[in-house]
Amino acid sequence: MILFPAIDLKDGQCVRLRHGDMATATIYNDDPAAQARAFEQQGFEWLHVVDLNGAFQGQSVNSAAVGAILKATKNPVQLGGGIRTLAQIEDWLERGLARVILGTVAVRDPDLVKQACKAFPGKVAVGIDAKGGKVAVEGWAEASSLGVVELARKFEGAGVAAIIYTDIDRDGVLTGINWDATIDLAEAVSIPVIASGGLASIADIVRMTMPDAQKLEGAISGRALYDGRIDPAEALAILQGRPAAEPRT
């Protein structure tokens, strides 16, 4: 079970939004590379990065910051936001990403996702962001008519490495992950699911260890880590089933 710390990039800075609204951005660090190093030193083994500007503009915008992150950490990095073509996917993977996250294009052009999975096995994840049970696209600015499970099932057998499921209504407001919807999705498909949106406290970390959550690959945490609501050493100890230890130095 993996806990993915999140770095959301807006104008080259680490921020957190509320409900995906760019106007609500809280700046937590103006040095994304330093934040990536800090997460590694705290003991995290993966990093989740989102180019928020890119998600809205449909092309990579914070590529310099992502490049600095890739140089700063040895941890594998997954990136979403504005990645819409096979050429962009190939470019990012060549630059050292462990996997790319495709969101809007998964709705607009599911065949491209399948082509990418074939071309880059194990390197392509799908981001499904939902509001009221319906999939949102274009940086959450537009709603589609697609249901979450309906979209996820389009990629069964395609080789998608993971589905990152975000409940927009929960994102950035520390109300707890929508466990019911997340686990329902995990039970509906064979693709590993990563929970995102609203992780609030150690109670959510403990919830990840419950039997019905075991099929999840993990969960993403942003604001709760930045605000100190979750202690990294305690959270990682719970997930690894061991006594809490000091973070790595």
Side-chain angles (χ1 to χ4, degrees):
M1 186 71 70
I2 303 167
L3 184 61
F4 297 79
I7 293 180
D8 288 359
L9 296 169
K10 178 178 182 285
D11 304 331
Q13 298 173 312
C14 301
V15 306
R16 295 302 295 170
L17 309 183
R18 293 179 182 274
H19 303 307
D21 182 354
M22 291 284 266
T24 67
T26 300
I27 299 169
Y28 281 97
N29 197 327
D30 60 8
D31 187 342
Q35 186 63 61
R37 281 193 297 271
F39 281 140
E40 182 178 337
Q41 289 165 358
Q42 288 167 347
F44 294 102
E45 297 180 350
W46 264 88
L47 184 61
H48 174 81
V49 180
V50 179
D51 181 346
L52 294 171
N53 302 98
F56 283 94
Q57 296 181 33
Q59 59 185 6
S60 296
V61 175
N62 288 287
S63 57
V66 177
I69 287 169
L70 289 170
K71 290 178 181 176
T73 181
K74 296 175 184 175
N75 282 345
V77 178
Q78 60 184 22
L79 171 71
I83 304 172
R84 307 282 169 88
T85 69
L86 283 172
Q88 289 171 333
I89 293 167
E90 183 173 16
D91 178 60
W92 275 119
L93 293 174
E94 286 179 349
R95 291 179 63 179
L97 281 181
R99 61 189 178 197
V100 298
I101 304 165
L102 305 180
T104 294
V105 74
V107 177
R108 305 277 197 236
D109 189 358
D111 285 341
L112 185 143
V113 177
K114 294 172 184 177
Q115 290 172 34
C117 289
K118 209 171 279 186
F120 311 106
K123 302 286 188 180
V124 178
V126 168
I128 298 182
D129 308 323
K131 189 173 180 65
K134 297 297 182 182
V135 177
V137 294
E138 306 293 347
W140 303 353
E142 296 179 24
S144 75
S145 60
L146 273 176
V148 171
V149 173
E150 180 186 0
L151 176 60
R153 284 180 171 157
K154 287 177 183 283
F155 303 110
E156 282 280 34
V160 171
I163 290 173
I164 296 154
Y165 172 65
T166 304
D167 185 331
I168 297 170
D169 293 322
R170 307 264 185 139
D171 190 70
V173 293
L174 300 168
T175 54
I177 282 173
N178 186 339
W179 290 109
D180 289 343
T182 303
I183 291 169
D184 284 349
L185 173 60
E187 290 177 343
V189 294
S190 61
I191 305 164
V193 172
I194 299 169
S196 175
L199 195 147
S201 67
I202 286 294
D204 277 319
I205 302 298
V206 173
R207 182 67 182 83
M208 291 169 67
T209 68
M210 297 295 102
D212 63 345
Q214 290 305 295
K215 60 182 62 185
L216 300 177
E217 179 173 296
I220 293 165
S221 180
R223 190 179 292 270
L225 283 173
Y226 289 102
D227 285 350
R229 294 168 183 264
I230 291 177
D231 175 75
E234 182 183 5
L236 293 171
I238 289 169
L239 293 177
Q240 294 166 11
R242 58 176 172 76
E246 292 299 316
R248 289 191 313 224
T249 57

